[in-house]
Amino acid sequence: MIPEKRSIAIMKELSIENTKQMLMINGSDVKNPLLLFLHGGPGTPQIGYVRHYQKDLEQHFTVVHWDQRGSGLSYSKRIPHHSMTISHFIKDTIQVTQWLLDHFSKTKVYLAGHSWGSLLALQVLQQRPDLFYAYFGISQVVNPNYEESASYQYIRKISDAKRAGIVFPLIRFLGAPPWKKDIQHFIYRFCVEMSRGGFTHHHRQSFAVLFQMLTGKEYGIRNMHSFLNGLHFSKKHLTDELYRFNAFRSVPSIKVPCFFISGRHDLIVPAEISKQYYHELVAPEKRWFQFEKSAHTPHIEEPSLFADTLSRHALYHL
């Protein structure tokens, strides 16, 4: 007797407040628990490349990626500018979660948030902890102002010690944050990348991600304009609110088990800030993991370790 096909690999368009929002859902067995992944940014979705890095993860979870309002495949010129707020994104996340629960006949999902997505996740968990088994915070954003200051001080210290290369004159020219001009943020991010603490620790992995986006069937060259338009649109409308976020004040406790994953080399969200938050956070259970070979994207840089870490600690649905 041939067993019923239980794997899943679909793209699904949802309509939320008259905006199209695209999901990608993949897994080896639909009976596995759901894992909803909130991408970084604002405005940098993962659908275009992430399947290449989640083969192991799909053995344990039905993995759901979502291009958030105004991002990637969910970008449209018709999206009202006034809807590009964190409170709207929280509502969207809850609606996506409730659709998943209904569609798959589940009672709860696991939640993962990366960078900007981790900021969003903390606030979703504040409002609706009942929807989630546990939370995995990847490169957890706590306070962007603190994080930029810590990163700047580290880069300045290292570049002063070496007094060579392009970073040394640039970081001295830039000066300490806060920075108001786009060019200042561009210089800072360039210094982060040159210091190997940016998107990936090894630059070849960043090029591999770009290659996956350009050649993969999910995005390809034809959808890169949506990605770039969505990135610009999202940053324009959400950056100010992002910099006002302070989890120490606004999210002192979470009612579900929390697991935090940080890349050792991450200079976008330095571990010293998120680890301080981890120590102060009140939660029924919490754990901290450091991935030694990663910068800002440990789920991409060390995908097998990431899948193993999540599967070993996602036991709340059993």
Side-chain angles (χ1 to χ4, degrees):
M1 186 174 177
I2 299 171
E4 179 186 357
K5 183 176 182 289
R6 294 200 339 210
S7 64
I8 186 170
I10 64 169
M11 300 288 285
K12 174 68 179 177
E13 185 179 299
L14 298 186
S15 178
I16 299 177
E17 288 187 348
N18 297 316
T19 66
K20 70 165 190 176
Q21 304 207 17
M22 187 64 73
L23 305 182
M24 181 178 75
I25 306 173
N26 303 94
S28 64
D29 189 338
V30 291
K31 291 195 173 181
N32 282 337
L34 289 163
L35 173 67
L36 174 60
F37 214 117
L38 306 184
H39 67 68
T44 52
Q46 303 185 121
I47 285 177
Y49 61 85
V50 76
R51 280 214 76 193
H52 184 73
Y53 302 96
Q54 66 176 38
K55 292 179 176 66
D56 292 342
L57 197 62
E58 289 178 18
Q59 300 303 309
H60 305 285
F61 300 92
T62 297
V63 186
V64 182
H65 290 279
W66 160 44
D67 280 12
Q68 296 161 18
R69 173 183 297 264
S71 297
L73 300 176
S74 300
Y75 171 74
S76 166
K77 292 178 182 176
R78 295 187 295 275
I79 294 173
H81 293 191
H82 67 79
S83 75
M84 294 295 288
T85 64
I86 289 175
S87 64
H88 257 96
F89 278 62
I90 294 168
K91 290 176 190 171
D92 287 353
T93 309
I94 291 168
Q95 277 196 246
V96 168
T97 304
Q98 289 175 323
W99 181 86
L100 289 169
L101 294 175
D102 291 343
H103 186 77
F104 288 94
S105 300
K106 305 282 190 184
T107 56
K108 294 185 181 185
V109 309
Y110 287 98
L111 184 65
H114 173 238
S115 195
W116 151 264
S118 71
L119 174 159
L120 181 58
L122 291 187
Q123 296 176 85
V124 170
L125 290 163
Q126 282 285 89
Q127 291 197 18
R128 293 300 305 273
D130 57 300
L131 298 176
F132 304 100
Y133 287 119
Y135 169 57
F136 299 97
I138 307 148
S139 308
Q140 179 67 55
V141 172
V142 174
N143 182 316
N145 291 301
Y146 291 176
E147 286 146 6
E148 276 190 356
S149 291
S151 177
Y152 171 82
Q153 293 300 334
Y154 179 82
I155 297 171
R156 178 72 189 257
K157 181 178 174 184
I158 295 302
S159 68
D160 281 356
K162 292 181 177 177
R163 291 184 171 270
I166 189 67
V167 174
F168 176 65
L170 279 177
I171 205 74
R172 290 175 68 86
F173 168 77
L174 181 62
W179 304 299
K180 299 298 182 188
K181 297 178 181 176
D182 288 345
I183 187 64
Q184 292 173 301
H185 283 277
F186 178 82
I187 292 170
Y188 161 67
R189 286 301 293 266
F190 177 78
C191 290
V192 166
E193 292 296 333
M194 292 305 294
S195 302
R196 295 177 60 192
F199 186 72
T200 59
H201 181 49
H202 296 287
H203 293 146
R204 68 177 180 273
Q205 287 185 299
S206 295
F207 289 116
V209 165
L210 179 60
F211 178 78
Q212 293 295 329
M213 285 187 71
L214 293 173
T215 61
K217 65 181 187 297
E218 294 85 6
Y219 265 54
I221 293 172
R222 72 192 180 283
N223 284 315
M224 287 306 291
H225 70 285
S226 293
F227 177 85
L228 294 171
N229 286 338
L231 177 60
H232 175 74
F233 180 67
S234 301
K235 287 192 179 299
K236 178 181 177 182
H237 293 289
L238 291 163
T239 296
D240 287 348
E241 207 174 357
L242 164 68
Y243 277 92
R244 290 196 295 270
F245 181 68
N246 183 345
F248 291 106
R249 279 204 308 262
S250 61
V251 192
S253 64
I254 297 174
K255 292 179 179 176
V256 305
C258 297
F259 304 90
F260 297 97
I261 298 169
S262 176
R264 169 178 160 76
H265 304 281
D266 191 356
L267 290 175
I268 298 175
V269 180
E272 65 183 84
I273 308 298
S274 41
K275 197 162 192 180
Q276 182 185 343
Y277 175 71
Y278 159 77
H279 285 306
E280 294 183 19
L281 178 69
V282 177
E285 182 181 347
K286 57 183 184 178
R287 295 282 298 275
W288 177 270
F289 302 94
Q290 181 169 281
F291 282 24
E292 294 295 324
K293 299 175 184 175
S294 297
H296 191 56
T297 54
H299 59 298
I300 300 300
E301 298 173 85
E302 299 180 71
S304 294
L305 178 59
F306 180 74
D308 182 60
T309 302
L310 264 61
S311 62
R312 280 189 294 114
H313 292 91
L315 302 172
Y316 302 94
H317 60 285
L318 300 175

